Amino acid sequence: MGERYEDAAAEYAEALELLPPDPGFGPGREVLRAARTLALARTGPPGTRARAKSGPGEGICPGEGAPPAEAGAPPAADADPWARSWERYARAVAESRAGRPERARTELLRALETQLALDDRLGQSFSAELLAELEAAQGHYESSALLLGAVRRTRPAAACAPRALGILRDRMPPGTLRAAYAQGARTALRALLPEL
């Protein structure tokens, strides 16, 4: 399976390079790169996740697949900020799955900064859910519950991070969990992230 997967990923990367920077219709190169990165982070075999490239000199995880001078370098000024925010979210997923929560948190905060500026509510909710999951896994239960409450405010009809909720239900008294969740639902996401 790994070989077929790598062949498909390489073919997609080659197709991206053939696409003009601004095709005039349909999704641009940056959006497709973000989609590919997200797909690799979610579905790629563990050995290929870190090796797959999202663009020239960029590995899925910051610092992997890029020379040291380029690692963590900001995207080009003309890059699509919406696509880049989703690419950062995808990198956070990969970092989280690789057991690097601090790197994942850094990528999520960068994604959220852009998503808040663009008022991308879907992006905000996905990033905040993953951040809540990371917080819960690291024992920051109240912070996690606050974030999940804020997500509920942003995207009321969505089911929130089942893994984080499972941890919180096991570790927090029900009344404390409900109170923190309700407080988060009354609080803007930006207010819960003072580092932004």
Short mmCIF file of all heavy atoms in Angstrom, two decimals, residues 121 124-125 146-158 160 181-192:
data_model
loop_
_atom_site.label_atom_id
_atom_site.label_comp_id
_atom_site.label_asym_id
_atom_site.label_seq_id
_atom_site.Cartn_x
_atom_site.Cartn_y
_atom_site.Cartn_z
N ARG A 121 -15.01 30.87 9.94
CA ARG A 121 -15.57 30.19 11.11
C ARG A 121 -15.37 28.68 11.07
O ARG A 121 -15.14 28.07 12.10
CB ARG A 121 -17.04 30.54 11.26
CG ARG A 121 -17.19 32.00 11.63
CD ARG A 121 -18.62 32.41 11.74
NE ARG A 121 -18.66 33.84 11.93
CZ ARG A 121 -19.39 34.42 12.84
NH1 ARG A 121 -20.16 33.71 13.63
NH2 ARG A 121 -19.38 35.72 12.97
N GLN A 124 -11.77 28.16 11.99
CA GLN A 124 -11.61 28.43 13.43
C GLN A 124 -12.08 27.24 14.26
O GLN A 124 -11.42 26.84 15.22
CB GLN A 124 -12.41 29.66 13.83
CG GLN A 124 -11.91 30.96 13.29
CD GLN A 124 -12.90 32.09 13.54
OE1 GLN A 124 -13.62 32.10 14.53
NE2 GLN A 124 -12.95 33.05 12.63
N SER A 125 -13.22 26.69 13.89
CA SER A 125 -13.77 25.60 14.70
C SER A 125 -12.91 24.34 14.59
O SER A 125 -12.65 23.68 15.59
CB SER A 125 -15.23 25.32 14.35
OG SER A 125 -15.36 24.88 13.03
N LEU A 146 -13.23 25.17 27.80
CA LEU A 146 -13.52 26.54 27.35
C LEU A 146 -13.45 26.62 25.82
O LEU A 146 -14.32 27.23 25.18
CB LEU A 146 -12.53 27.53 27.97
CG LEU A 146 -12.69 27.83 29.45
CD1 LEU A 146 -11.46 28.56 29.99
CD2 LEU A 146 -13.95 28.64 29.70
N LEU A 147 -12.41 26.03 25.24
CA LEU A 147 -12.27 26.05 23.78
C LEU A 147 -13.43 25.33 23.10
O LEU A 147 -13.97 25.82 22.10
CB LEU A 147 -10.95 25.41 23.37
CG LEU A 147 -9.70 26.24 23.61
CD1 LEU A 147 -8.44 25.39 23.47
CD2 LEU A 147 -9.65 27.42 22.65
N LEU A 148 -13.83 24.19 23.64
CA LEU A 148 -14.95 23.46 23.04
C LEU A 148 -16.25 24.27 23.13
O LEU A 148 -17.06 24.25 22.20
CB LEU A 148 -15.12 22.09 23.69
CG LEU A 148 -14.03 21.08 23.38
CD1 LEU A 148 -14.28 19.77 24.11
CD2 LEU A 148 -13.90 20.85 21.89
N GLY A 149 -16.43 24.97 24.22
CA GLY A 149 -17.60 25.85 24.34
C GLY A 149 -17.58 26.95 23.30
O GLY A 149 -18.60 27.27 22.68
N ALA A 150 -16.39 27.53 23.07
CA ALA A 150 -16.26 28.59 22.06
C ALA A 150 -16.53 28.04 20.66
O ALA A 150 -17.12 28.72 19.82
CB ALA A 150 -14.88 29.23 22.13
N VAL A 151 -16.11 26.80 20.41
CA VAL A 151 -16.38 26.17 19.12
C VAL A 151 -17.87 26.01 18.93
O VAL A 151 -18.42 26.26 17.86
CB VAL A 151 -15.66 24.81 19.00
CG1 VAL A 151 -16.17 24.02 17.80
CG2 VAL A 151 -14.16 25.00 18.88
N ARG A 152 -18.54 25.60 19.99
CA ARG A 152 -19.99 25.42 19.92
C ARG A 152 -20.67 26.74 19.55
O ARG A 152 -21.65 26.76 18.81
CB ARG A 152 -20.50 24.90 21.28
CG ARG A 152 -21.93 24.59 21.31
CD ARG A 152 -22.19 23.34 20.51
NE ARG A 152 -23.58 22.96 20.70
CZ ARG A 152 -24.14 22.01 20.06
NH1 ARG A 152 -23.47 21.32 19.20
NH2 ARG A 152 -25.39 21.71 20.26
N ARG A 153 -20.13 27.84 20.04
CA ARG A 153 -20.67 29.17 19.72
C ARG A 153 -20.44 29.48 18.23
O ARG A 153 -21.28 30.04 17.56
CB ARG A 153 -19.98 30.21 20.59
CG ARG A 153 -20.30 31.61 20.24
CD ARG A 153 -19.45 32.57 21.03
NE ARG A 153 -19.70 33.93 20.58
CZ ARG A 153 -19.36 34.97 21.24
NH1 ARG A 153 -18.74 34.87 22.39
NH2 ARG A 153 -19.62 36.16 20.76
N THR A 154 -19.28 29.09 17.73
CA THR A 154 -18.91 29.36 16.34
C THR A 154 -19.67 28.47 15.36
O THR A 154 -20.09 28.92 14.31
CB THR A 154 -17.40 29.14 16.14
OG1 THR A 154 -16.70 29.97 17.06
CG2 THR A 154 -16.95 29.47 14.75
N ARG A 155 -19.83 27.22 15.72
CA ARG A 155 -20.45 26.23 14.83
C ARG A 155 -21.44 25.38 15.63
O ARG A 155 -21.18 24.24 15.98
CB ARG A 155 -19.33 25.35 14.25
CG ARG A 155 -19.66 24.68 12.97
CD ARG A 155 -18.47 23.96 12.42
NE ARG A 155 -18.17 22.80 13.24
CZ ARG A 155 -17.21 21.94 13.01
NH1 ARG A 155 -16.42 22.11 12.01
NH2 ARG A 155 -17.01 20.90 13.78
N PRO A 156 -22.61 25.94 15.94
CA PRO A 156 -23.54 25.31 16.88
C PRO A 156 -24.02 23.92 16.50
O PRO A 156 -24.28 23.11 17.38
CB PRO A 156 -24.72 26.27 16.95
CG PRO A 156 -24.39 27.42 16.11
CD PRO A 156 -23.09 27.18 15.42
N ALA A 157 -24.15 23.61 15.24
CA ALA A 157 -24.72 22.32 14.85
C ALA A 157 -23.69 21.21 14.78
O ALA A 157 -24.03 20.07 14.51
CB ALA A 157 -25.40 22.46 13.50
N ALA A 158 -22.44 21.52 15.05
CA ALA A 158 -21.37 20.52 14.89
C ALA A 158 -21.19 19.68 16.13
O ALA A 158 -21.42 20.12 17.24
CB ALA A 158 -20.07 21.25 14.59
N CYS A 160 -18.66 18.25 18.61
CA CYS A 160 -17.33 18.69 19.02
C CYS A 160 -16.43 17.53 19.37
O CYS A 160 -16.86 16.56 19.99
CB CYS A 160 -17.42 19.63 20.21
SG CYS A 160 -17.87 21.28 19.76
N TYR A 181 -17.64 24.76 29.91
CA TYR A 181 -18.16 24.71 28.54
C TYR A 181 -19.09 25.90 28.29
O TYR A 181 -19.00 26.57 27.26
CB TYR A 181 -18.88 23.38 28.34
CG TYR A 181 -19.30 23.08 26.93
CD1 TYR A 181 -18.43 22.43 26.06
CD2 TYR A 181 -20.56 23.42 26.45
CE1 TYR A 181 -18.80 22.13 24.76
CE2 TYR A 181 -20.94 23.13 25.16
CZ TYR A 181 -20.06 22.48 24.33
OH TYR A 181 -20.44 22.20 23.04
N ALA A 182 -19.97 26.16 29.24
CA ALA A 182 -20.91 27.28 29.11
C ALA A 182 -20.17 28.62 29.09
O ALA A 182 -20.52 29.52 28.32
CB ALA A 182 -21.93 27.25 30.25
N GLN A 183 -19.14 28.74 29.91
CA GLN A 183 -18.35 29.98 29.91
C GLN A 183 -17.67 30.17 28.55
O GLN A 183 -17.64 31.26 28.01
CB GLN A 183 -17.31 29.96 31.03
CG GLN A 183 -16.49 31.23 31.08
CD GLN A 183 -15.41 31.18 32.15
OE1 GLN A 183 -15.42 30.31 33.03
NE2 GLN A 183 -14.47 32.10 32.08
N GLY A 184 -17.13 29.08 28.00
CA GLY A 184 -16.50 29.16 26.68
C GLY A 184 -17.49 29.56 25.61
O GLY A 184 -17.17 30.33 24.69
N ALA A 185 -18.73 29.07 25.72
CA ALA A 185 -19.77 29.41 24.73
C ALA A 185 -20.15 30.88 24.80
O ALA A 185 -20.67 31.43 23.84
CB ALA A 185 -20.99 28.53 24.95
N ARG A 186 -19.89 31.52 25.93
CA ARG A 186 -20.20 32.95 26.09
C ARG A 186 -19.00 33.83 25.74
O ARG A 186 -19.09 35.05 25.78
CB ARG A 186 -20.63 33.25 27.53
CG ARG A 186 -21.95 32.67 27.93
CD ARG A 186 -22.38 33.16 29.31
NE ARG A 186 -21.41 32.91 30.35
CZ ARG A 186 -21.36 31.81 31.11
NH1 ARG A 186 -22.25 30.85 30.93
NH2 ARG A 186 -20.44 31.68 32.03
N THR A 187 -17.89 33.20 25.41
CA THR A 187 -16.63 33.94 25.22
C THR A 187 -16.19 33.80 23.76
O THR A 187 -16.25 32.73 23.19
CB THR A 187 -15.53 33.36 26.13
OG1 THR A 187 -16.02 33.32 27.47
CG2 THR A 187 -14.27 34.19 26.08
N ALA A 188 -15.75 34.90 23.20
CA ALA A 188 -15.22 34.86 21.84
C ALA A 188 -13.92 34.05 21.83
O ALA A 188 -13.14 34.12 22.77
CB ALA A 188 -14.96 36.28 21.33
N LEU A 189 -13.73 33.29 20.77
CA LEU A 189 -12.55 32.44 20.66
C LEU A 189 -11.26 33.26 20.83
O LEU A 189 -10.36 32.84 21.52
CB LEU A 189 -12.55 31.72 19.31
CG LEU A 189 -11.44 30.74 19.04
CD1 LEU A 189 -11.37 29.66 20.12
CD2 LEU A 189 -11.60 30.12 17.67
N ARG A 190 -11.20 34.43 20.22
CA ARG A 190 -10.00 35.26 20.32
C ARG A 190 -9.66 35.58 21.77
O ARG A 190 -8.50 35.62 22.17
CB ARG A 190 -10.16 36.54 19.52
CG ARG A 190 -8.90 37.39 19.52
CD ARG A 190 -9.06 38.66 18.71
NE ARG A 190 -9.20 38.46 17.31
CZ ARG A 190 -8.19 38.23 16.46
NH1 ARG A 190 -6.97 38.15 16.90
NH2 ARG A 190 -8.41 38.10 15.17
N ALA A 191 -10.69 35.80 22.61
CA ALA A 191 -10.46 36.12 24.02
C ALA A 191 -9.85 34.94 24.78
O ALA A 191 -9.19 35.14 25.79
CB ALA A 191 -11.76 36.54 24.66
N LEU A 192 -10.06 33.73 24.29
CA LEU A 192 -9.51 32.55 24.94
C LEU A 192 -8.06 32.28 24.50
O LEU A 192 -7.40 31.41 25.05
CB LEU A 192 -10.35 31.32 24.63
CG LEU A 192 -11.77 31.33 25.18
CD1 LEU A 192 -12.54 30.10 24.68
CD2 LEU A 192 -11.76 31.38 26.69
#
